[in-house]
Amino acid sequence: MKMDAVENTMDLLEAIKARHSVRSFTDKMIEGEIKSSLQDTVDECNRESGLNIQLCLDEPDAFGGMRAHYGKFENCKNYIALIGKAGTDEPCGYYGEKLVMKAQQLGLNTCWVGMTYSKSKAPCVLNKGEKIQLVIALGYGNTSGKPHRSKDMMQLCKVEGEMADWFKNGMEAAMLAPTAINQQKFIITQSGNTVSAKPLAAFFSKFDIGIVKCHFEIGAGKENFSWKEV
């Protein structure tokens, strides 16, 4: 099957709705055009962001110990390492989620991972001042995962005046964004065509806000609003 045929079966909104965290994977290898397409997207994200994201395939060591067992990971041999300098939490979240969406379009399953893997065993090349911030477990899942509950929309946003349709669409996508232990510690504010997204005090919330903003842009349409720095 040609890659464009694979990707065209699922647009980004469909990918958002279909994607759930998966921690148990089959032995099927990521190879051929799917591997190439994923690597091309990694390269594109690195060019845009200045990050040093690396794709690690058929590498069992990082998820081979007790940490992975504690996190309920099984047979995880593929992952994306999000690498950057201090202060790159939000970009790691944003561009990492772009890669999660690409993986979903390509028929792969994913899971964001903050702690239950061994950084020292990941065969990544780090430049001065860089570190592995997070990784994204990757592969063909034994299941497609399952959805988690979300907070009510009005707990997650503030609107000055009437809520615009594009803002509502953006919020619906943002509510499906994966966040650490499903905490959803963020607030998104609409003022006219200007939107701000603020992380609240919580574990990994600065990474989460990048993921949330990626989802919001997909749902709302980037042409309908501009971000205000918080």
Side-chain angles (χ1 to χ4, degrees):
M1 181 180 291
K2 293 294 186 181
M3 188 52 52
D4 56 357
V6 174
E7 294 184 23
N8 286 341
T9 62
M10 182 181 296
D11 66 22
L12 286 172
L13 278 173
E14 290 172 333
I16 282 176
K17 294 174 182 178
R19 186 267 168 195
H20 310 297
S21 294
V22 170
R23 293 178 172 83
S24 178
F25 301 94
T26 72
D27 287 323
K28 185 177 179 180
M29 296 184 67
I30 299 172
E31 54 190 358
E33 293 183 349
I34 290 180
K35 174 183 174 180
S36 298
S37 182
L38 195 58
Q39 185 61 60
D40 287 346
T41 308
V42 168
D43 295 341
E44 180 182 351
C45 287
N46 281 334
R47 286 192 297 270
E48 290 184 10
S49 66
L51 296 170
N52 184 18
I53 302 170
Q54 296 177 30
L55 178 62
C56 302
L57 300 180
D58 197 24
E59 195 294 291
D61 292 339
F63 283 86
M66 288 303 297
R67 287 185 177 184
H69 178 75
Y70 176 78
K72 299 182 179 179
F73 284 92
E74 295 180 5
N75 203 32
C76 182
K77 299 178 182 179
N78 309 295
Y79 53 92
I80 298 167
L82 301 169
I83 300 168
K85 296 182 179 180
T88 57
D89 301 28
E90 184 178 314
C92 280
Y94 182 88
Y95 286 96
E97 190 63 8
K98 280 182 172 289
L99 288 163
V100 165
M101 292 296 99
K102 171 59 72 173
Q104 188 71 35
Q105 289 180 309
L106 295 172
L108 299 169
N109 301 104
T110 54
C111 184
W112 281 89
V113 190
M115 298 177 66
T116 49
Y117 69 101
S118 175
K119 290 183 180 182
S120 63
K121 293 183 179 179
C124 298
V125 178
L126 307 183
N127 299 315
K128 185 177 180 180
E130 292 180 338
K131 67 176 183 178
I132 300 176
Q133 305 277 21
L134 296 171
V135 303
I136 299 166
L138 182 71
Y140 295 94
N142 283 312
T143 72
S144 297
K146 59 183 181 180
H148 293 279
R149 290 184 179 181
S150 172
K151 294 178 181 178
D152 182 83
M153 183 184 293
M154 297 314 297
Q155 291 180 276
L156 300 171
C157 71
K158 296 179 181 178
V159 178
E160 296 181 11
E162 184 176 353
M163 181 183 291
D165 288 341
W166 58 261
F167 185 83
K168 181 176 182 291
N169 293 336
M171 284 302 306
E172 288 174 348
M175 289 163 65
L176 296 175
T179 58
I181 58 173
N182 200 35
Q183 59 189 344
Q184 293 186 298
K185 291 291 186 177
F186 63 87
I187 189 77
I188 300 179
T189 303
Q190 176 199 349
S191 178
N193 290 336
T194 301
V195 176
S196 62
K198 179 181 179 181
L200 306 179
F203 205 44
F204 289 124
S205 65
K206 291 182 180 179
F207 293 99
D208 289 346
I209 203 66
I211 300 172
V212 167
K213 289 174 77 170
C214 179
H215 274 231
F216 185 90
E217 288 181 355
I218 292 169
K222 293 174 69 173
E223 69 278 6
N224 290 316
F225 75 99
S226 58
W227 288 112
K228 177 182 179 181
E229 294 299 322
V230 179

